[in-house]
C-alpha cells in the first residue's frame, strides 16, 4: 500500500517565515514610498543626526571611525540607484555622513590658538564688537591681539575683555590697550552644563577676562571695519534720538547692538517671554521684508500702466530681498540674523521662481543651508527655537488652510491669527527655552499677543519710515511712532513680569531629552500616514525622562571656590558672594532660582548642626590661605574641597586646585559617584587643557 508524500514541515515553516519577512519588507517599502512628496523636509533632519553624532563623540574621530564611515558610504552609494525604499534609506545614510563630515570640516577650519594659562599684563587689540555680560558690564571683543611675552603663533585670534562698572567704550574699529587678567575659556559650571569652551572655539575666542584700569586708545578707528563702524554710529544716533528708556531697545532691533539695554528691562522681557524681540531673528527679518514687499507692491499698483506690463510681485520680492540683505549687514550679521536672512532668502527666491513661498520645503531648504554653513548652530538654543517655531507655524497654518477653517466673522480673523500664531510659537519653543534657560514664563502668550502685533504694525514700519526720511532730515516723524511702539512693548513686558508667579524654574534635563523630543515632534509634523502619531510616544518618553531627572547631591566649581549641597529645602551654597555666575547656574538648573545669599543661609544652618553630610561624607570647604594653613588633619569620612593647596595629614579625600584644574567642575550623583565635567566633555579640540 502506497503512502502519500508527507510535507516537509521545516521547509513549510521556512517558507512561511520567508513569506512573512517579504510581507514586512513590502509594508516597509510601501510606507517609505508614501513619503516621496515630503522627502526634502527630512534632509536637514538627517544632516542634524550626523552633526549630533559628531558632537556626542568623547574624542576626535580616529582611524576606526573613518574606516567605518568610508565603509558605510561605499555600501550606501550603489543603493541610491534602486527604485524602491532602499534608495531612500541609502540617501538618509549619506546625508547623515554628510552632516558628520561638515561638522568635522567646520571644526578644523575655525581652529585658532587658545590661551593655555592665566595671564596678567598688557593687552592690545582692535575692537570688533561691544556687548554686555551677564552682570551688565560692557564687554569688548578684540582681534589683532598682542600679549606681552606670548609668541605670535600662540596669541589668541580674539579675546573678550569685560570693563569695570561705569566704563565707557571707545568706538568700534579703534585699536586699544589695557592691563587685563585673561584666562582660557572656562568649561561647564557643572558636568553636562553649557560648555562655553565649545562656543568660544567656533567664535575663535581664545581667551576671556576682565580689566579694572581705563582703556587707552592707541589708534582711532580710521580704516577697515567700515560696516562695523557704521553700525556703531547708527546705534549711538538711535540711542541719542530716543533717549535712555527706549534707545537701547531700538538699537538692539535696528543695529543689533544690545549694549544699551538696561539689565532691569532685559529681566522684564525675559520674565514676560518677550526677550526674543531683542535678538534679530526670523520675526524681525520677516516683518521688515514683508512690510517692504507689501508696501512696494501696493505702491506700484497705483500705476496701472506699470502694473499691467511688469510683474510687480517679483519686483517687490527682489526689492524686499535687497532690503533684507542690507539689514543683515547693518545689524551685525550675527548667527541668528544670518539664519533669519537665509529663511527670507529662500522664501523670496521661491516667489521669483513662481513656487509657494511659505511651506515646509522652504523651511527645510533654509535649515539645510544653515546647518551646512554653521553645523555648530544645531546645538544652540537660537537655532532650535527659531526652527521649532517656524516649522510648527507653517505646519499648523497649512493644516488650517487645508481644512478651510474660518471660525467667526471676517473682521475677527486677524485677531485670531495673532492669538493662534503666538500660542503655536509659544508651545513649540517652550520646551527648548525651558531646557536651555531653566525658566518657564506662565503669561508668555498674553505678553506676545499684546506686544508682537505692535512690533509688526507700528515699530517696524516706523523704523523703515525714519530711515527713509533721514535723507531729508525729517526722521523724527518715524521716530515719534517708533518710540510709542517701543514704550508700549516695554510697558507690556513690565506689567506681565509683575503679575503673580509670572515665571517659574525648570529642572535642567538630561542630554537625551531634547533629541528625543525633537525627533518625536518632527515625526508628527513631517511624516505622512498613521505612523506619524508614533512620534507622540517619543515626545511622551522624553517628557517622562525629564520629569524623573535627579539633580546632583553635590556640586563643586572648577576652581574649588564654591560648593553646593542639595537639601530638602533646596541647594545650599558654601559662599554668599563669590562665584556669582556659577551659583546662579546651579540654582537655575535645580529649578529653584533663589538668590545666592538665601542659598548660603541654608549652608550656615546646616553647618551649625551636625555638619554637612552627603552620601556618607562630611563636606568641608576651605577657601583662602589662612584657612588652608589652619587645616591640619581630617578623618576618612571627610571630603575636603579647597581652592588653595593644603598641607595636611589624614586619610580624607581632597579635591584641590591641581586636581580640579584637570577635571573641571565635579558632581556627585544620588548614588555617591563623582563625575567630572572634563570626563563628560572628552578629548575634543575645545576641551583640551
Amino acid at each position: 500500500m502506497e503512502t502519500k508524500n508527507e510535507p516537509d514541515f521545516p521547509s513549510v515553516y521556512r517558507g512561511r517565515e520567508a513569506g512573512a519577512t517579504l510581507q514586512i519588507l513590502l509594508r516597509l517599502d510601501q510606507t517609505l514610498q508614501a513619503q516621496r512628496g515630503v522627502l526634502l523636509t527630512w534632509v536637514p533632519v538627517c544632516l542634524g543626526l550626523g552633526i549630533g553624532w559628531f558632537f556626542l563623540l568623547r574624542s576626535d574621530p580616529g582611524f576606526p571611525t573613518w574606516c567605518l564611515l568610508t565603509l558605510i558610504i561605499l555600501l550606501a552609494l550603489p543603493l541610491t540607484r534602486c527604485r524602491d525604499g532602499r534608495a531612500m534609506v541609502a540617501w538618509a545614510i549619506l546625508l547623515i555622513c554628510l552632516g558628520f563630515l561638515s561638522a568635522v570640516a567646520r571644526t578644523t577650519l575655525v581652529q585658532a590658538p587658545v590661551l593655555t594659562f592665566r595671564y596678567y599684563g598688557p593687552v592690545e587689540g582692535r575692537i570688533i564688537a561691544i556687548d554686555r555680560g551677564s552682570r551688565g558690564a560692557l564687554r569688548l571683543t578684540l582681534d589683532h591681539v598682542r600679549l606681552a611675552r606670548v609668541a605670535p603663533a600662540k596669541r589668541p585670534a580674539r579675546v573678550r575683555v569685560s570693563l569695570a562698572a561705569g566704563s565707557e567704550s571707545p568706538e568700534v574699529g579703534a585699536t586699544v590697550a589695557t592691563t587685563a587678567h585673561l584666562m582660557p575659556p572656562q568649561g561647564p559650571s557643572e558636568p553636562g552644563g553649557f560648555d562655553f569652551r565649545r562656543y568660544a572655539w567656533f567664535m575663535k575666542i581664545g581667551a576671556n577676562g576682565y580689566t579694572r584700569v581705563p582703556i587707552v586708545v592707541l589708534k582711532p578707528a580710521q580704516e577697515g571695519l567700515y560696516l562695523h563702524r557704521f553700525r556703531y554710529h547708527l546705534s549711538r544716533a538711535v540711542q541719542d534720538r530716543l533717549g535712555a528708556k527706549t534707545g537701547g531697545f531700538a538699537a538692539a532691533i535696528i543695529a543689533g547692538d544690545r549694549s544699551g539695554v538696561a539689565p532691569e528691562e532685559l529681566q522684564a522681557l525675559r520674565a514676560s517671554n518677550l526677550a526674543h524681540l531683542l535678538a534679530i531673528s526670523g520675526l524681525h527679518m520677516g516683518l521688515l521684508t514683508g512690510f517692504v514687499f507689501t508696501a512696494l507692491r501696493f505702491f506700484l499698483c497705483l500705476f496701472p500702466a506699470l502694473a499691467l506690463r511688469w510683474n510687480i510681485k517679483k519686483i517687490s520680492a527682489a526689492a524686499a530681498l535687497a532690503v533684507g540683505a542690507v539689514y543683515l549687514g547693518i545689524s551685525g550679521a550675527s548667527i541668528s540674523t544670518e539664519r533669519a536672512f537665509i529663511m527670507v532668502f529662500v522664501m523670496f527666491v521661491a516667489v521669483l521662481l513662481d513656487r509657494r513661498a511659505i511651506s515646509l520645503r522652504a523651511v527645510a531648504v533654509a535649515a539645510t543651508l544653515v546647518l551646512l554653513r554653521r553645523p555648530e548652530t544645531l546645538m544652540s538654543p537660537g537655532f532650535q527655537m527659531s526652527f521649532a517655531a517656524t516649522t510648527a507655524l507653517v505646519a499648523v497654518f497649512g493644516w488650517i488652510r487645508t481644512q478651510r477653517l474660518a471660525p467667526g466673522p471676517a473682521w475677527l480673523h486677524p485677531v485670531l491669527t495673532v492669538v493662534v500664531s503666538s500660542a503655536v510659537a509659544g508651545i513649540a519653543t517652550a520646551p527648548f527655552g525651558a531646557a536651555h534657560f531653566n525658566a518657564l514664563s506662565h503669561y508668555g502668550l498674553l505678553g506676545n499677543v499684546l506686544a508682537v502685533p505692535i512690533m509688526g504694525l507700528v515699530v517696524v514700519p516706523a523704523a523703515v519710515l525714519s530711515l527713509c526720511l533721514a535723507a531729508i532730515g525729517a526722521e523724527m516723524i518715524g521716530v515719534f511712532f517708533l518710540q510709542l511702539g517701543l514704550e508700549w512693548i516695554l510697558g507690556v513686558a513690565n506689567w506681565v513680569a509683575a503679575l503673580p508667579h509670572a515665571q517659574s524654574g525648570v529642572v535642567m534635563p538630561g542630554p537625551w531629552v531634547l533629541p528625543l523630543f525633537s525627533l518625536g515632534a518632527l515625526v508628527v509634523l513631517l511624516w505622512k500616514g498613521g505612523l506619524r502619531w508614533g512620534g507622540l510616544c517619543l515626545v511622551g518618553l522624553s517628557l517622562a525622562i525629564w520629569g524623573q531627572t535627579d539633580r546632583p547631591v553635590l556640586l563643586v566649581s572648577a576652581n574649588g571656590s564654591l560648593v553646593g549641597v542639595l537639601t530638602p529645602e533646596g541647594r545650599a551654597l558654601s559662599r554668599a558672594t563669590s562665584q556669582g555666575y556659577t551659583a546662579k547656574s546651579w540654582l537655575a538648573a535645580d529649578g529653584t532660582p533663589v538668590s545666592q545669599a538665601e542659598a548660603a543661609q541654608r549652608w550656615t544652618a546646616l553647618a551649625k548642626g551636625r555638619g554637612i553630610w552627603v552620601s556618607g561624607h562630611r563636606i568641608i570647604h576651605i577657601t583662602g590661605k589662612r584657612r588652608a594653613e589652619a587645616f591640619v588633619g581630617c578623618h576618612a569620612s571627610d571630603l575636603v574641597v579647597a581652592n588653595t593647596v593644603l598641607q595636611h595629614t589624614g586619610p580624607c579625600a581632597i579635591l584641590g586646585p591641581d586636581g580640579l584644574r584637570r577635571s573641571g567642575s565635579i558632581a556627585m550623583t544620588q548614588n555617591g559617584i563623582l563625575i567630572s565635567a572634563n570626563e563628560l566633555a572628552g578629548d575634543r579640540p575645545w576641551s583640551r587643557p
Side-chain angles (χ1 to χ4, degrees), residues 371-635:
L371 290 176
L372 288 177
R373 172 164 167 73
R374 297 181 184 268
E376 72 275 9
T377 59
L378 176 73
M379 316 297 290
S380 68
F383 175 90
Q384 295 171 10
M385 297 176 71
S386 175
F387 279 101
T390 306
T391 304
L393 286 170
V394 173
V396 169
F397 278 97
W399 178 79
I400 292 175
R401 182 176 60 251
T402 303
Q403 300 297 320
R404 298 181 179 179
L405 298 178
W411 62 269
L412 193 59
H413 291 174
V415 178
L416 292 176
T417 299
V418 171
V419 174
V420 171
S421 60
S422 298
V424 170
I427 293 171
T429 58
F432 299 94
H436 288 287
F437 305 116
N438 308 119
L440 189 63
S441 300
H442 297 162
Y443 308 112
L445 176 60
L446 176 62
N448 279 274
V449 168
L450 294 176
V452 172
I454 301 302
M455 177 66 77
L457 297 176
V458 178
V459 173
V460 171
V464 175
L465 180 63
S466 61
L467 291 175
C468 293
L469 295 178
I472 59 174
E475 68 276 6
M476 290 307 297
I477 298 175
V479 168
F480 173 77
F481 292 103
L482 176 63
Q483 188 159 12
L484 286 180
L486 294 177
E487 287 178 351
W488 170 269
I489 293 175
L490 290 175
V492 169
N494 285 293
W495 175 67
V496 172
L499 293 175
H501 310 292
Q503 200 173 29
S504 62
V506 178
V507 176
M508 184 178 74
W512 290 102
V513 169
L514 281 185
L516 281 176
F517 180 89
S518 303
L519 186 59
L522 287 170
V523 169
V524 172
L525 294 175
L526 304 182
W527 194 267
K528 291 178 65 177
L531 289 178
R532 68 190 309 173
W533 304 115
L536 294 177
C537 298
L538 292 178
V539 172
L541 177 62
S542 66
L543 295 178
I545 295 174
W546 194 346
Q548 298 300 317
T549 300
D550 290 325
R551 292 290 296 152
V553 295
L554 174 70
L555 288 170
V556 179
S557 66
N559 58 3
S561 295
L562 187 67
V563 178
V565 173
L566 191 63
T567 70
E569 293 77 23
R571 182 133 345 238
L573 298 180
S574 60
R575 304 179 74 177
T577 56
S578 181
Q579 301 289 300
Y581 174 79
T582 300
K584 184 177 180 181
S585 300
W586 288 356
L587 294 171
D590 290 336
T592 54
V594 299
S595 66
Q596 183 177 355
E598 183 178 345
Q601 292 176 359
R602 298 170 183 165
W603 183 281
T604 304
L606 287 175
K608 288 181 180 178
R610 54 185 293 269
I612 301 172
W613 289 80
V614 176
S615 297
H617 296 281
R618 187 179 65 159
I619 308 301
I620 301 175
H621 188 209
I622 298 176
T623 56
K625 292 184 178 180
R626 291 185 179 180
R627 294 188 62 188
E629 292 172 355
F631 180 74
V632 294
C634 54
H635 302 286

Side-chain angles (χ1 to χ4, degrees), residues 10 34 49 100 102 104 165 184 188 204 238 278 327 331 461 486 489 516 522-523 526 624 644 649 662:
L49 290 174
F100 184 91
S102 66
V104 173
K204 295 187 178 182
V238 168
L278 283 176
Y327 188 40
S331 62
L486 294 177
I489 293 175
L516 281 176
L522 287 170
V523 169
L526 304 182
T644 187
T649 58
R662 293 188 297 270

Side-chain angles (χ1 to χ4, degrees), residues 27 33 58 119 125 148 209 228 270 303 341 416 498 587 629:
R27 289 287 183 89
Q33 294 289 352
R58 296 288 181 88
Y119 171 89
H228 291 74
R270 287 174 175 170
F303 303 92
F341 175 73
L416 292 176
L587 294 171
E629 292 172 355

